[in-house]
Amino acid sequence: MMKFATIALVSVLALTACQKQQPQLGPDGQPIPVAYKITPREEAQIPARLAGQINQLRANVGATPVTENPMLDAAAKAHARDMSAQNRAWHFGSDGSSPLDRVRRQGYTAHLVGENISETYENEITTLNAWMQNRDTRDVIMDPSVSDFGIGWYQEPSGKIWWVLLTGSNSMAAPAAPGGFAMASTQ
């Protein structure tokens, strides 16, 4: 009898482990997002993964590849943290600075093509996909004159991630957007 009880218990545990976990639902009936956690290992991999994806997308339309620029990275990281402090995704800093002001502060003297921003719980590839679904944010990434990019993020303890992507051009051609840069965001 003890053998039967043990087999029954093991069977119940095995079936329970095989059951698909149902996502937790929020008040709106939609699944509550599971926050993507940026670990130190992930931090080191994000720029290369993003560059690979962007360059693959650009190659599909015959555009030249982009390279990561540390000055654009620094401006993007500072703005991501500032958006978190302001608790809003927008293109202007708490000091009133524009994207152009912020990249100039970091020493970037080439043309700023654009800035994409996002407030999400998702990783950089999912965020890139969202940017590619919107014409304005896609144009910041796919502009044929773009040669440089910078990526920055800030993850709050709650898991919310503030993303900033900056693109620039070392070409002598003037940027397409009036005022020297395009601004676009998704949320």
Side-chain angles (χ1 to χ4, degrees):
M1 187 64 159
M2 181 69 157
K3 209 179 215 185
F4 177 74
T6 304
I7 291 173
L9 179 62
V10 170
S11 297
V12 167
L13 290 174
L15 287 173
T16 302
C18 292
Q19 272 187 331
K20 184 177 179 183
Q21 294 292 325
Q22 295 297 319
Q24 197 174 12
L25 300 180
D28 60 357
Q30 296 298 312
I32 296 174
V34 176
Y36 166 69
K37 178 68 178 153
I38 300 174
T39 64
R41 181 174 176 223
E42 288 289 312
E43 283 187 26
Q45 296 172 351
I46 288 171
R49 269 197 313 252
L50 191 63
Q53 290 295 310
I54 290 172
N55 286 331
Q56 185 175 25
L57 291 166
R58 290 175 61 83
N60 289 341
V61 296
T64 58
V66 296
T67 56
E68 187 180 7
N69 182 288
M71 292 174 275
L72 293 178
D73 282 346
K77 286 176 184 170
H79 189 54
R81 185 175 281 279
D82 188 47
M83 287 192 307
S84 171
Q86 296 180 70
N87 197 32
R88 63 177 168 180
W90 75 321
H91 294 283
F92 295 95
S94 56
D95 62 356
S97 62
S98 71
L100 189 57
D101 296 330
R102 292 189 297 275
V103 300
R104 293 290 183 255
R105 281 186 206 150
Q106 297 300 326
Y108 189 77
T109 58
H111 294 292
L112 176 64
V113 174
E115 175 180 75
N116 287 348
I117 59 175
S118 185
E119 168 188 359
T120 184
Y121 290 89
E122 299 171 324
N123 68 22
E124 76 283 357
I125 302 304
T126 305
T127 303
L128 174 62
N129 184 49
W131 285 332
M132 292 302 291
Q133 301 306 311
N134 176 287
R135 181 177 178 189
D136 292 337
T137 52
R138 182 177 54 247
D139 288 351
V140 168
I141 297 163
M142 301 302 287
D143 185 303
S145 72
V146 168
S147 57
D148 305 321
F149 83 97
I151 184 69
W153 63 89
Y154 177 73
Q155 186 163 34
E156 296 178 348
S158 69
K160 182 188 288 187
I161 307 170
W162 302 84
W163 293 100
V164 178
L165 174 76
L166 292 164
T167 58
S169 171
N170 282 317
S171 76
M172 299 312 283
F181 61 91
M183 298 189 299
S185 63
T186 62
Q187 295 180 338

